[in-house]
Amino acid sequence: MSSNFRPKNYTPLEVSTIKNFIEKSEKIKNIIGDTNEIEVKEVGDGNLNLVFFVESKKNSICIKQPLPYLRVLKDWPLTLKRSYYEAEYMKTHSEHVSELMPKIYDFDSELCTITMEKLSPHIIMRHGLINGITYEKFAEDISTFMAKTLFFTSDLYLKAHQKKELNTKFILNTELCKITEDLIFTDPYMYNKNNRWTSPYLDKQKKEIENNNDLKIAVSRLKIKFMTETQSLLHGDLHTGSIMVSENDTKVIDPEFAFYGPMGFDIGALIANLLMNYFSQNGHEKNPGDRKYFKKWILNLIIEIWNKFENKFSNLWDEYPQGDAYPFKMFDNKNIIKNEQINYLQNIYNDSLGFAGAKIIRRIFGFAHNIDFDWIKDPKDRAICEHKCTNLGIEMQTNFHKFKNISNLIETAIKLDSENVNF
Amino acid sequence: MSSNFRPKNYTPLEVSTIKNFIEKSEKIKNIIGDTNEIEVKEVGDGNLNLVFFVESKKNSICIKQPLPYLRVLKDWPLTLKRSYYEAEYMKTHSEHVSELMPKIYDFDSELCTITMEKLSPHIIMRHGLINGITYEKFAEDISTFMAKTLFFTSDLYLKAHQKKELNTKFILNTELCKITEDLIFTDPYMYNKNNRWTSPYLDKQKKEIENNNDLKIAVSRLKIKFMTETQSLLHGDLHTGSIMVSENDTKVIDPEFAFYGPMGFDIGALIANLLMNYFSQNGHEKNPGDRKYFKKWILNLIIEIWNKFENKFSNLWDEYPQGDAYPFKMFDNKNIIKNEQINYLQNIYNDSLGFAGAKIIRRIFGFAHNIDFDWIKDPKDRAICEHKCTNLGIEMQTNFHKFKNISNLIETAIKLDSENVNF
């Protein structure tokens, strides 16, 4: 299913060829200045891309270049076209959330490179959370990011033809969607050679998942939603590894999975990754109780993010009612629309829970795991954290109606976290 | 919002230029034979297109050419591109239902003409139904048409990337979608200068519609579904005026509104138009009771169509489980999928009722009406039929859950039809 997209002049950059790359682009050269004194590092720790940091006296930049295969599995080809989707996503959303993404300086469609500002002193949020660092501005920032990106590309804001025209730019990002369809919605629920889990402790839970028909139907319904519902232009991979933070700043990166899909998929990705971090905390404690304050903070963070998102999304809807959905000229009585907003957001909330549940299961039983759990050295300790989190992930998919609001979800997370697991 | 699509050599054909048109195409000339003895008639009775019938000794053909505006309102421009969508739809679905559509001989992308077989002795089904003619093979044919067109273009049958690739061919049919969005889901529920209804009898009901907030929310939810849910490649206008019938044959025509949307929209269009015909029958009786048998037949027809559709769709799903939705390798226990089919089809049924309700309201209070009602000469008689049918249309949108199955719907139709309306 891999595309044959490979521009004629594509070749992977190396530390030694970066200088030449910069000199060929007037735009990038202007930012960097004198290329004789640049310092270049390759820092890509992901599976998919080369990432170079370039520092000159004048400035510092980040050059991201996709590889035509998945780094850990060279026999897994992966379209280079994904950098186009990433650049298009950033271009589209920069109208409303430019301050929450890195500045793009250049997109080179031959080398497939995106050259952007080097963020500093930002770190990958997942690392910060694993270390128990709190980010007081994060709820405010990420709720703005989600509310604006999801609202401004939906039928609530756009005319129907505008949305479909925008969708045409992303609709063929099918190779990256396929990764999600397989790795999130399918493989963890059956035998697949790429699946892994903390064995032998979680062997029994893995079997239970494979035999849980309600769960398999629930995840299949989510998969269909993912494949058919073109609500908004999504990031497509909005976990805490795709977010860089400093004490006072938040930047969303890596939107190469961008596509038109259900809003709850982005929101769910974030909620899932925060919940997984919560459940992983016991495994990172040096002394029992070390992370008590942090655990409380991160659960409150989830509540705050959802509430702020809900609030901001509704406000945008009030402020910009010009989309083709719910035409405002049809509703003299504004209370009617207010009530419908509650219903609409409840649906997004339900979707978010379901997708979050699916994201949890895939990170514990699928191919790609999170370091939140993986960095817990003792396998039994890790399995205990993962087991509890999995129980929540299953409930979120099969019984999302039980969690009428975000506080109900958090109460259940606390309850499951406090239960004993005996292996 | 009109596109500027106008091929350089586009010019409307006339009876006098048809001969020249045929002679320029080797393909069409071969079908027609000697062009010196052809007989040409312009027979388009629609609002959108020129239609020529051409008969030679050897064969007869139909040439359909779009006009760049709506015939009745010359200031309403309409993209010529629609013939491309029509031809693409027929090409796509002919793999599975070629016997249920006319044969296409040629698509001329400059003149935007579609040249196809001339159907004979077929008539437009709506005319037959108004005259009380029954078609015994119709339920079988149209249920096959709907089951196959909807199933084979869905994620149940296709791989996700195949579906999206197919969708790219239709996604920019936004001008024709816009007509639906406005004329079906918006205008009838508010003041619009193009609305009309049988006044003064229905003035009160029109006001009630404008003040019925539940109904306006219901139709807005259907509109969002129409704009966001890419389930299958739809005909987009599957009413009884888009179907030609003879005693033993059924052909679906005019798929220029084709787009990827919710399955229930096509099914609902058909059900709505059969229900409207049912409610119009009292107005066409020469003597009271004349149409008693026919009315019973048409209600049974609706039941039969739905039941056959449901059955055939499930069978296709059983037979071709290779799509990316509900991956069969994930479900060892086939009963699980069987149960889910019931749920899936219940959702399609619910959608179909809602869309049918919206189709009813638009034909009684919107811009474009049906001759089923319009040909009832006495305005009061007409209004009585329309009033009853409207009551059902409102219920189908706001209380579709009340009609658990198709028989419940038919019972309510009978009940509403039997009630007295006093103006």
Side-chain angles (χ1 to χ4, degrees):
Chain A
M1 68 113 196
S2 163
S3 83
N4 296 317
F5 178 83
R6 184 164 181 137
K8 213 172 61 218
N9 297 319
Y10 173 84
T11 180
L13 291 170
E14 291 167 31
V15 168
S16 63
T17 58
I18 290 289
K19 188 180 165 193
N20 188 34
F21 167 79
I22 294 172
E23 279 170 355
K24 277 187 180 156
S25 158
E26 208 50 47
K27 233 187 308 177
I28 307 177
K29 227 181 117 185
N30 277 338
I31 288 156
I32 279 293
D34 184 358
T35 52
N36 284 318
E37 291 180 50
I38 55 170
E39 201 177 305
V40 182
K41 273 190 293 193
E42 208 275 296
V43 298
D45 68 345
N47 280 320
L48 312 162
N49 305 293
L50 296 171
V51 180
F52 300 91
F53 284 167
V54 184
E55 306 228 22
S56 70
K57 284 206 172 125
K58 193 177 165 194
N59 224 325
S60 55
I61 58 173
C62 168
I63 302 165
K64 181 175 171 184
Q65 186 184 38
L67 292 165
Y69 46 78
L70 202 63
R71 253 188 178 185
V72 291
L73 292 176
K74 284 212 178 183
D75 59 344
W76 189 325
L78 207 56
T79 180
L80 294 169
K81 186 97 190 183
R82 61 193 195 270
S83 62
Y84 157 84
Y85 296 112
E86 174 163 351
E88 279 297 321
Y89 176 92
M90 293 177 79
K91 217 170 77 183
T92 302
H93 285 309
S94 64
E95 193 186 336
H96 298 291
V97 293
S98 61
E99 73 288 2
L100 295 169
M101 295 186 294
K103 270 197 283 291
I104 289 204
Y105 299 132
D106 182 66
F107 170 61
D108 183 323
S109 59
E110 279 295 312
L111 289 172
C112 306
T113 51
I114 298 177
T115 303
M116 54 194 143
E117 77 177 302
K118 178 180 173 293
L119 299 170
S120 174
H122 302 64
I123 61 166
I124 293 286
M125 187 182 193
R126 194 186 300 285
H127 292 179
L129 297 180
I130 290 171
N131 288 319
I133 303 171
T134 60
Y135 296 95
E136 301 310 325
K137 217 173 139 266
F138 180 69
E140 190 64 34
D141 285 347
I142 204 70
S143 58
T144 297
F145 182 86
M146 294 194 302
K148 288 191 174 176
T149 57
L150 300 179
F151 178 81
F152 284 121
T153 54
S154 77
D155 287 298
L156 297 168
Y157 176 71
L158 297 175
K159 299 293 174 200
H161 73 97
Q162 290 175 318
K163 192 198 79 171
K164 287 186 175 174
E165 282 155 18
L166 184 54
N167 190 0
T168 59
K169 294 187 187 172
F170 298 91
I171 192 168
L172 289 181
N173 195 6
T174 49
E175 276 191 60
L176 272 78
C177 282
K178 170 81 173 152
I179 294 176
T180 302
E181 287 149 18
D182 288 347
L183 297 195
I184 297 185
F185 298 113
T186 313
D187 297 346
Y189 300 84
M190 52 185 289
Y191 167 77
N192 185 293
K193 69 175 172 22
N194 291 326
N195 286 336
R196 65 181 178 88
W197 59 90
T198 306
S199 188
Y201 303 103
L202 299 187
D203 291 0
K204 185 162 163 266
Q205 203 172 29
K206 176 69 169 76
K207 269 281 156 263
E208 282 164 9
I209 287 170
E210 289 178 24
N211 293 324
N212 185 338
N213 289 319
D214 289 347
L215 180 63
K216 291 199 286 186
I217 288 296
V219 81
S220 298
R221 290 182 187 170
L222 290 165
K223 186 180 181 184
I224 286 208
K225 214 182 253 282
F226 178 89
M227 295 192 294
T228 60
E229 205 163 315
T230 59
Q231 267 185 330
S232 298
L233 176 58
L234 306 188
H235 179 283
D237 198 26
L238 192 59
H239 54 68
T240 50
S242 298
I243 299 170
M244 297 195 70
V245 282
S246 67
E247 202 187 322
N248 295 308
D249 194 34
T250 307
K251 303 280 192 207
V252 173
I253 61 170
D254 291 353
E256 49 209 337
F257 283 79
F259 77 110
Y260 252 91
M263 299 187 192
F265 187 74
D266 267 4
I267 305 167
L270 182 68
I271 290 177
N273 279 272
L274 296 174
L275 283 171
M276 283 188 273
N277 183 272
Y278 166 76
F279 280 98
S280 78
Q281 287 296 326
N282 289 353
H284 297 296
E285 284 185 338
K286 291 199 178 89
N287 302 300
D290 264 5
R291 296 293 177 95
K292 204 174 145 189
Y293 169 78
F294 182 82
K295 284 172 72 177
K296 207 170 157 180
W297 176 80
I298 202 161
L299 291 183
N300 278 331
L301 179 70
I302 296 172
I303 296 176
E304 215 184 333
I305 289 171
W306 173 260
N307 289 339
K308 279 178 188 286
F309 165 78
E310 192 172 47
N311 202 19
K312 289 174 188 180
F313 192 93
S314 305
N315 288 343
L316 288 169
W317 191 338
D318 292 342
E319 196 174 347
Y320 303 99
Q322 66 260 56
D324 272 342
Y326 300 102
F328 67 98
K329 58 185 180 175
M330 207 167 109
F331 295 95
D332 314 330
N333 183 340
K334 297 305 165 210
N335 287 333
I336 308 302
I337 288 289
K338 270 287 160 208
N339 284 335
E340 183 63 2
Q341 280 179 4
I342 294 168
N343 169 75
Y344 190 95
L345 280 154
Q346 187 67 35
N347 288 336
I348 297 179
Y349 170 77
N350 291 345
D351 287 355
S352 302
L353 292 202
F355 286 120
K359 291 258 178 184
I360 287 172
I361 305 294
R362 71 79 59 109
R363 291 287 180 196
I364 299 176
F365 293 95
F367 171 55
H369 286 223
N370 280 348
I371 52 174
D372 308 59
F373 290 127
D374 268 12
W375 282 4
I376 300 170
K377 285 198 191 94
D378 182 81
K380 190 170 174 185
D381 286 351
R382 188 194 320 137
I384 290 170
C385 297
E386 290 174 328
H387 189 275
K388 293 170 178 176
C389 191
T390 298
N391 282 336
L392 185 61
I394 293 171
E395 280 290 289
M396 287 168 81
Q397 286 191 70
T398 54
N399 285 313
F400 61 86
H401 283 116
K402 270 174 43 181
F403 307 114
K404 291 226 183 314
N405 59 50
I406 192 79
S407 301
N408 300 149
L409 173 72
I410 297 309
E411 285 154 20
T412 304
I414 293 170
K415 186 173 153 285
L416 289 171
D417 182 58
S418 71
E419 282 173 6
N420 283 328
V421 177
N422 298 312
F423 289 120
Chain B
M1 67 112 196
S2 165
S3 83
N4 296 317
F5 178 83
R6 184 165 183 137
K8 213 172 62 218
N9 297 320
Y10 173 84
T11 180
L13 291 169
E14 290 166 33
V15 169
S16 63
T17 58
I18 290 289
K19 188 179 165 195
N20 189 35
F21 166 80
I22 293 171
E23 281 170 355
K24 277 189 180 155
S25 158
E26 209 50 47
K27 234 187 307 178
I28 307 176
K29 226 181 117 184
N30 279 338
I31 288 156
I32 278 294
D34 184 357
T35 53
N36 284 318
E37 290 180 49
I38 55 171
E39 201 178 303
V40 183
K41 271 190 294 192
E42 207 276 296
V43 297
D45 67 345
N47 280 318
L48 312 160
N49 305 294
L50 297 171
V51 179
F52 300 92
F53 283 168
V54 184
E55 307 227 22
S56 69
K57 283 204 175 128
K58 190 176 167 195
N59 224 324
S60 55
I61 58 172
C62 168
I63 302 165
K64 181 175 171 184
Q65 186 185 37
L67 292 164
Y69 46 77
L70 203 61
R71 252 186 179 188
V72 291
L73 291 176
K74 285 214 177 182
D75 59 344
W76 189 326
L78 207 57
T79 178
L80 294 170
K81 186 98 191 180
R82 62 193 194 271
S83 62
Y84 157 84
Y85 295 112
E86 175 163 350
E88 279 297 320
Y89 176 93
M90 292 176 81
K91 217 169 77 185
T92 302
H93 285 309
S94 63
E95 194 185 336
H96 299 290
V97 292
S98 61
E99 74 288 2
L100 295 168
M101 294 186 295
K103 272 198 283 292
I104 289 203
Y105 299 131
D106 181 67
F107 170 62
D108 182 324
S109 59
E110 279 294 313
L111 289 173
C112 305
T113 51
I114 298 177
T115 303
M116 53 194 144
E117 77 177 302
K118 178 180 174 290
L119 299 170
S120 175
H122 303 65
I123 60 166
I124 293 286
M125 186 181 194
R126 194 187 299 286
H127 292 179
L129 296 181
I130 291 172
N131 289 319
I133 303 170
T134 60
Y135 296 94
E136 301 310 324
K137 216 172 140 266
F138 181 68
E140 191 64 36
D141 285 346
I142 204 69
S143 58
T144 297
F145 181 86
M146 293 195 302
K148 288 191 174 175
T149 58
L150 300 179
F151 177 81
F152 284 121
T153 54
S154 77
D155 287 298
L156 298 168
Y157 176 71
L158 297 175
K159 299 293 174 200
H161 73 97
Q162 291 174 319
K163 192 198 79 172
K164 287 186 176 174
E165 281 155 17
L166 184 54
N167 189 0
T168 59
K169 294 188 188 170
F170 298 91
I171 191 168
L172 289 181
N173 196 6
T174 49
E175 276 191 59
L176 271 76
C177 283
K178 169 82 174 152
I179 294 176
T180 303
E181 288 149 17
D182 288 347
L183 297 196
I184 297 185
F185 298 113
T186 313
D187 297 346
Y189 300 84
M190 52 184 289
Y191 166 78
N192 184 294
K193 70 176 172 18
N194 291 327
N195 286 336
R196 67 180 178 86
W197 59 89
T198 306
S199 188
Y201 304 103
L202 299 187
D203 291 0
K204 185 162 163 265
Q205 204 173 28
K206 175 71 169 77
K207 268 281 155 264
E208 283 164 7
I209 287 170
E210 288 177 26
N211 293 324
N212 185 338
N213 289 319
D214 288 348
L215 179 63
K216 291 198 288 185
I217 288 297
V219 81
S220 298
R221 289 183 188 170
L222 290 164
K223 185 180 181 182
I224 286 206
K225 213 181 254 285
F226 178 89
M227 296 191 295
T228 60
E229 206 163 315
T230 59
Q231 268 184 332
S232 297
L233 177 57
L234 307 188
H235 179 284
D237 198 25
L238 193 58
H239 55 69
T240 49
S242 299
I243 299 169
M244 297 195 70
V245 282
S246 67
E247 203 187 324
N248 295 308
D249 193 34
T250 306
K251 302 280 192 208
V252 173
I253 61 169
D254 290 353
E256 49 209 337
F257 282 80
F259 77 111
Y260 251 91
M263 301 186 191
F265 187 74
D266 268 4
I267 305 166
L270 182 68
I271 291 177
N273 279 270
L274 296 175
L275 283 171
M276 284 189 273
N277 184 272
Y278 166 75
F279 280 98
S280 77
Q281 288 295 327
N282 288 352
H284 296 297
E285 283 185 337
K286 292 200 176 90
N287 302 299
D290 264 4
R291 298 291 178 96
K292 206 174 144 189
Y293 170 78
F294 183 83
K295 283 172 73 177
K296 209 170 157 182
W297 176 80
I298 203 162
L299 290 183
N300 278 332
L301 178 71
I302 296 171
I303 295 176
E304 214 183 335
I305 289 172
W306 173 261
N307 289 340
K308 281 177 185 285
F309 166 78
E310 194 172 46
N311 202 21
K312 290 174 187 180
F313 192 92
S314 304
N315 288 344
L316 288 169
W317 191 340
D318 292 343
E319 196 174 346
Y320 304 99
Q322 67 259 55
D324 272 342
Y326 300 103
F328 67 98
K329 57 184 181 176
M330 207 166 111
F331 296 94
D332 314 329
N333 183 340
K334 297 307 167 208
N335 287 333
I336 309 302
I337 288 288
K338 270 286 162 210
N339 283 335
E340 183 63 1
Q341 281 180 3
I342 294 168
N343 170 74
Y344 191 95
L345 280 154
Q346 187 66 35
N347 288 336
I348 297 179
Y349 171 78
N350 291 345
D351 286 356
S352 301
L353 292 202
F355 285 121
K359 290 259 179 183
I360 288 172
I361 306 294
R362 71 79 60 109
R363 291 286 182 197
I364 300 176
F365 294 94
F367 171 56
H369 286 223
N370 280 349
I371 52 173
D372 307 59
F373 290 127
D374 269 12
W375 282 4
I376 300 170
K377 285 201 190 92
D378 182 80
K380 192 172 171 184
D381 287 350
R382 187 194 321 136
I384 289 170
C385 297
E386 290 174 328
H387 189 276
K388 293 170 179 176
C389 191
T390 298
N391 282 338
L392 184 61
I394 293 171
E395 280 290 289
M396 288 168 80
Q397 285 191 70
T398 54
N399 285 314
F400 62 85
H401 282 115
K402 270 175 40 182
F403 308 113
K404 290 226 186 310
N405 59 50
I406 193 79
S407 300
N408 300 149
L409 173 72
I410 297 309
E411 286 154 20
T412 304
I414 294 170
K415 187 172 152 283
L416 289 171
D417 182 57
S418 71
E419 283 173 5
N420 284 327
V421 177
N422 299 311
F423 289 122

